[in-house]
Amino acid sequence: MIQTQKKVAIIGSGLVGSLLAIYLKKYGHDITVFDRRPDIRNVEFSGRSINLAMSNRGWNALHEVGIEEEIKKIAIPLDKRAMHVVGQPEYYQKYGKEGEAIWSISRGVLNRKMIDLAEEAGVVFKFEEKVWDVDLPEGKLFTGETEKGAWQEYQYDLIFGCDGAFSRVRHKMQRRSRFDYSQDFIDVGYKELTIAANEDGTHKLDRHSFHIWPRGKFMLIAMPNLDGSFTCTLFMPFEGEVSFENIKTNDDAKDFFKTYFPNVMQDLDNLLLDFFKNPTSAMVTMKCFPWTYWDKVALVGDSAHAIVPFYGQGMNAGFEDIFVLDALIKEHQDDWHTIFEAYEKVRKPNADAIAELSYRNFVEMSSKTADPKFLLQKKIEKYFASQHPDKWIPVYSRVTFSDRPYAEALAEGDAQEAIMKEVMSLPNIEEKWNSAEVENLILSLL
Ligand SMILES: Cc1cc2nc3c(=O)[nH]c(=O)nc-3n(C[C@H](O)[C@H](O)[C@H](O)COP(=O)(O)OP(=O)(O)OC[C@H]3O[C@@H](n4cnc5c(N)ncnc54)[C@H](O)[C@@H]3O)c2cc1C
């Protein structure tokens, strides 16, 4: 054993908290996970399940503790986007090279499985126990029914705040001097909708595709579930001409789907039901620093870096935090002060980079997809990449199918953007976009 056994508390039994518990249990620590919610394994999903895309970074972290294959059994590989563009037949865009795919997985099913695996390994879970306060220097936690009621006190050697974007642990750290914090909501919200399975249990749309209906300022996406259904997410401005605010009645919603999403009409009844039943949720980018307090407390996952979901990387980034933390534990053994210092130093620039990339993807999807100049630029990039796959790796591939740092992907993306700016300023670029002149210019600028 490379570590002295410690008493460890993890706040939050979400995806990040439960994976961190599995990792730390391997070192023989005594681990308790607190969650304010009931045990997700006993909660009915009420017919809908939010799903997530798992990619390389997530799989790497699961592989390291030997649970990748087990989790793959509950995931569906998606090797392409299926584009449902107005006025065009459905078409497909391969994500990457042969064999590269993102994986659709139900957040609830995954979370249940990870809690099972952590419990089997000997982790103790305390559900319906909300943490109200943390004494950072003393490593004390205070839980209870209400903020004003009686609290139970616990003492730990190490505390990990895996309590999500609105973290209580971070809240406590925020009150310290020189703690940086920012949060930015976007003016677009989202709503989960379902496309049910066919009667024979098969999928109504291609099951190995990530389906996208881009509509300028709003869009619908759909990812398959194992039971034949699809979970759709409608992203749309809260206010404005086409907005959540302006869809008030069943007829408004019916008109909306008929006008913009004619090929999901077969499921209209279901969609309408979900539309009025399910909440409209907000999306936030949250940044903070530092992420740790001495050798006692660390934030991991969304509590340290919540991002908008347009790159499908929030969970992947949280899992990568754990992977990096684990490598540092192996390197520095019992020296938690150094482990925590190195952890936040390595991860912070990468968390900022994926936050920026995710936000840019949001801007791109909502305001650029109808811009002919932008579409031409993308066409040139794609063409050049197909001619020189070793010289032009798209940012999407660097983020999704690689384990190189996010900050590197952002920097490479910026460098590519600068090249494309020159290319796009060539006279008559529309006519010569696939010419040798353009190809040579890019090669000379690389
Ligand atoms: C619409 C949408 C789509 C997304 N799609 C993707 C995707 O495709 N791929 C991807 O990688 N990521 C995606 N994400 C991001 C992903 O969902 C999050 O990054 C991930 O769930 C974060 O996990 P977490 O464990 O850090 O936090 P959470 O999942 O928020 O878990 C926090 C846990 O802490 C508990 N808790 C909170 N406060 C307390 C307290 N005071 N006391 C005790 N317990 C507490 C909560 O009950 C909860 O169980 C998406 C997010 C959204 C919103």
Side-chain angles (χ1 to χ4, degrees), residues 250-265:
N250 227 41
D251 283 345
D252 293 343
K254 208 179 263 179
D255 284 348
F256 170 73
F257 284 110
K258 268 191 191 158
T259 311
Y260 297 110
F261 305 108
N263 68 344
V264 296
M265 283 301 290

Side-chain angles (χ1 to χ4, degrees), residues 367-413:
S367 59
K368 295 197 190 160
T369 44
D371 173 359
K373 217 95 210 189
F374 173 77
L375 294 175
L376 176 63
Q377 178 177 329
K378 289 290 143 197
K379 191 157 97 175
I380 297 171
E381 288 174 23
K382 205 166 165 201
Y383 179 71
F384 184 82
S386 71
Q387 305 295 108
H388 302 279
D390 52 327
K391 291 200 165 68
W392 191 280
I393 302 169
V395 183
Y396 185 84
S397 296
R398 290 181 189 272
V399 167
T400 311
F401 302 123
S402 140
D403 54 9
R404 300 288 307 157
Y406 286 128
E408 188 180 290
L410 177 64
E412 291 291 339

